[in-house]
C-alpha cells in the first residue's frame, strides 16, 4: 500500500468531502425542482419519446436490450459482478477488495436512505416493463452502477476501463427511463449521488503495490 503524508490525506479528504456535500446539494436541488414541476417538460418529453420509440418496429428489440442492461445493473446482477470482482481482487490486493466492498455497501445504504427521505412515487406515464417496489428518487440503478463501475475503473486506472464504465453507466441509466420506471431526473440525481460518493471514497483508495 502506498504511503501518503498526513497533509496530503487531509487535502484529499477535504476535497472528497466537499464533492460529496456538493453532490447532495445537487440531488436536493433536483428533488425540489422535480417536486415543483420545473422538470416536467424534460421528464415528460424524454419519457414520452421513449414510449413512442417502444411502439416502433424495432422497439421490441431495444426493449429486450434495455431489460438485459437493467438486469445486469440490478441488485442481483450487480452483486454477482461484485462477487466476481472481489474474488479476483482478494488474491492480489486484499485491501483494495475491502475498499470496493465497503464502498458498495455504504453507497447502497446511502441510496436507500435518500429514497426514504424524498419518498417520490414512480412515474406512471408509461406502462412499467420492470417490477419495482421502492421509491423512485434517486434512481438506485443509476447511483449503484455509477459507484460500482466507477470504482472498478478507479481500480484498473486505464482509459479503456473508464470508457467501458461510462458506457455501462449510461446504458443502465437510460434503460430505467425506457422501461418507464424512472423519470430522467431520477436517473440524473442517481448519477450525481453516485459520483459524489465515489469522490469521497477515493480518499481511502489503496494505492497499487509499488506506488509511493
Amino acid at each position: 500500500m502506498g504511503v501518503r503524508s498526513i497533509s496530503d490525506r487531509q487535502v484529499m479528504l477535504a476535497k472528497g468531502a466537499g464533492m460529496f456535500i456538493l453532490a447532495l446539494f445537487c440531488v436536493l436541488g433536483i428533488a425540489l425542482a422535480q417536486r415543483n414541476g420545473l422538470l416536467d417538460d424534460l421528464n415528460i418529453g424524454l419519457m414520452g419519446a421513449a414510449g413512442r420509440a417502444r411502439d416502433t418496429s424495432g422497439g421490441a428489440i431495444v426493449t429486450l436490450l434495455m431489460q438485459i442492461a437493467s438486469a445486469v445493473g440490478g441488485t442481483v446482477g450487480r452483486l454477482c459482478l461484485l462477487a466476481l470482482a472481489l474474488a479476483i481482487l482478494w488474491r492480489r490486493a486484499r485491501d483494495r477488495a475491502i475498499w470496493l466492498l465497503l464502498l458498495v455497501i455504504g453507497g447502497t445504504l446511502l441510496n436507500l436512505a435518500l429514497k426514504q427521505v424524498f419518498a417520490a412515487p414512480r412515474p406512471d406515464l408509461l406502462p412499467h416493463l420492470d417490477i419495482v417496489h421502492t421509491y423512485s428518487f434517486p434512481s438506485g440503478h443509476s447511483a449503484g452502477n455509477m459507484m460500482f463501475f466507477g470504482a472498478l475503473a478507479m481500480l484498473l486506472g486505464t482509459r479503456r476501463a473508464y470508457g467501458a464504465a461510462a458506457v455501462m453507466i449510461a446504458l443502465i441509466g437510460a434503460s430505467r427511463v425506457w422501461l418507464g420506471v424512472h423519470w430522467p431526473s431520477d436517473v440524473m440525481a442517481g448519477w450525481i449521488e453516485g459520483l459524489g460518493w465515489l469522490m469521497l471514497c477515493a480518499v481511502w483508495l489503496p494505492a497499487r503495490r509499488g506506488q509511493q
Side-chain angles (χ1 to χ4, degrees):
M1 182 175 177
V3 177
R4 295 190 180 104
S5 69
I6 295 177
S7 60
D8 288 343
R9 177 73 73 180
Q10 289 174 339
V11 170
M12 291 179 61
L13 179 58
K15 290 181 177 179
M19 292 295 293
F20 178 61
I21 293 171
L22 177 60
L24 291 181
F25 273 109
C26 289
V27 170
L28 175 61
I30 294 172
L32 293 175
Q34 179 173 302
R35 186 160 296 184
N36 287 283
L38 300 179
L39 299 178
D40 285 356
D41 289 343
L42 172 68
N43 284 330
I44 295 174
L46 290 177
M47 185 170 282
R52 291 188 294 273
R54 275 165 40 169
D55 294 332
T56 63
S57 57
I61 296 176
V62 177
T63 295
L64 177 60
L65 293 175
M66 292 297 184
Q67 287 174 327
I68 293 173
S70 184
V72 170
T75 301
V76 175
R78 197 159 63 247
L79 285 176
C80 290
L81 293 175
L82 174 62
L84 177 60
L86 292 176
I88 295 172
L89 283 171
W90 195 258
R91 298 179 179 180
R92 303 177 181 179
R94 190 166 297 184
D95 54 349
R96 293 163 76 82
I98 294 172
W99 175 82
L100 177 62
L101 178 61
L102 294 178
L103 180 149
V104 171
I105 292 174
T108 300
L109 293 176
L110 171 65
N111 183 257
L112 290 174
L114 290 176
K115 281 181 178 290
Q116 294 301 316
V117 168
F118 295 112
R122 295 278 176 169
D124 57 2
L125 185 64
L126 300 178
H128 292 179
L129 300 182
D130 191 17
I131 299 173
V132 288
H133 302 290
T134 60
Y135 289 122
S136 185
F137 185 95
S139 166
H141 274 67
S142 301
N145 288 286
M146 172 66 78
M147 297 170 191
F148 176 66
F149 287 108
L152 290 183
M154 286 181 176
L155 289 169
L156 293 171
T158 65
R159 289 185 179 181
R160 288 186 179 182
Y162 280 104
V167 170
M168 289 301 299
I169 291 166
L171 180 60
I172 293 169
S175 75
R176 305 306 285 166
V177 177
W178 182 277
L179 299 177
V181 294
H182 275 298
W183 295 115
S185 55
D186 297 338
V187 172
M188 186 186 310
W191 283 339
I192 293 172
E193 173 204 341
L195 184 59
W197 182 249
L198 270 179
M199 294 300 98
L200 178 61
C201 292
V203 176
W204 295 281
L205 173 62
R208 293 184 182 88
R209 293 177 183 178
Q211 288 183 341
Q212 297 296 325

